Amino acid sequence: MQITPEQYDAWTAQSRTGIEIVDGVVHPLPSPSKRHNRLARLLANAWDTAVGPGWNADTNVEVRLCDAPLTNLRPDVTVYRADTIDVTPTRPEHVLLVAEIVAPGTETTDRVVKADQYARAGIQFYWRVEQAATGAPLVYTYVLDPAAGRYRDGEVFTGVVKVTAPFPVEVDLGRL
């Protein structure tokens, strides 16, 4: 059974936590590890400092990519327009950058499915963080090619990530 946006919007905030909806189907999210949470927080804190007053960077922001069929995702970290902080749901046009931290069980979803969904929704930048068993994670950056409707490969980093777009930022993900 597929859930509609109207049905979903009638749910309480508490019943919306810990899930994503893809093509109208509810998918529970796995509980993140401490390493996963720390990576997300390091990214969010660095981005929030770097983006300036027009943008916010937060974890666990629900982004509605599509109404029919309903698709709501919760990127691990999202940079969104500050003036939309009270707008629900967050829409792709409010979002500049999302990051997904790949965890056991989410490999295909984060590497292929979500990248495709974010690109089709028009989100300009996507970062994928691959956790290493030991040492610093690998960070893959992508930039939307609007004509193709998909992401082009950007730079790949390990340890320290230093970029100028979409905003200048340096993040030491080796500080786990």
Side-chain angles (χ1 to χ4, degrees):
M1 178 175 127
Q2 286 193 328
I3 187 168
T4 67
E6 296 77 22
Q7 291 168 322
Y8 180 78
D9 292 341
W11 291 5
T12 65
Q14 184 176 0
S15 47
R16 296 179 188 190
T17 60
I19 63 167
E20 290 182 324
I21 299 178
V22 178
D23 296 333
V25 178
V26 176
H27 297 270
L29 293 172
S31 293
S33 68
K34 291 183 288 186
R35 177 180 292 273
H36 183 281
N37 287 339
R38 180 146 175 87
L39 282 168
R41 187 170 53 81
L42 286 171
L43 276 177
N45 290 348
W47 290 356
D48 205 42
T49 300
V51 294
W55 298 93
N56 293 333
D58 286 310
T59 60
N60 200 30
V61 172
E62 180 182 23
V63 180
R64 182 166 295 175
L65 299 181
C66 183
D67 285 317
L70 179 62
T71 299
N72 284 356
L73 298 181
R74 290 183 180 274
D76 291 314
V77 186
T78 305
V79 174
Y80 61 94
R81 288 191 352 237
D83 64 351
T84 66
I85 194 166
D86 294 316
V87 175
T88 301
T90 300
R91 295 289 188 163
E93 59 268 21
H94 305 154
V95 177
L96 175 64
L97 166 64
V98 295
E100 292 289 354
I101 300 168
V102 179
T106 69
E107 295 93 340
T108 301
T109 301
D110 291 340
R111 292 175 186 154
V112 180
V113 177
K114 286 187 176 181
D116 179 61
Q117 290 171 323
Y118 294 139
R120 284 188 292 128
I123 295 174
Q124 193 173 357
F125 295 91
Y126 177 63
W127 286 20
R128 190 183 82 236
V129 181
E130 296 278 348
Q131 300 183 67
T134 60
L138 280 171
V139 178
Y140 296 84
T141 63
Y142 302 91
V143 179
L144 182 64
D145 178 343
R150 59 190 162 119
Y151 290 113
R152 287 179 315 192
D153 291 348
E155 295 180 79
V156 179
F157 299 90
T158 185
V160 176
V161 179
K162 187 173 183 179
V163 297
T164 57
F167 42 82
V169 66
E170 185 172 324
V171 187
D172 183 0
L173 295 180
R175 294 184 357 197
L176 291 173

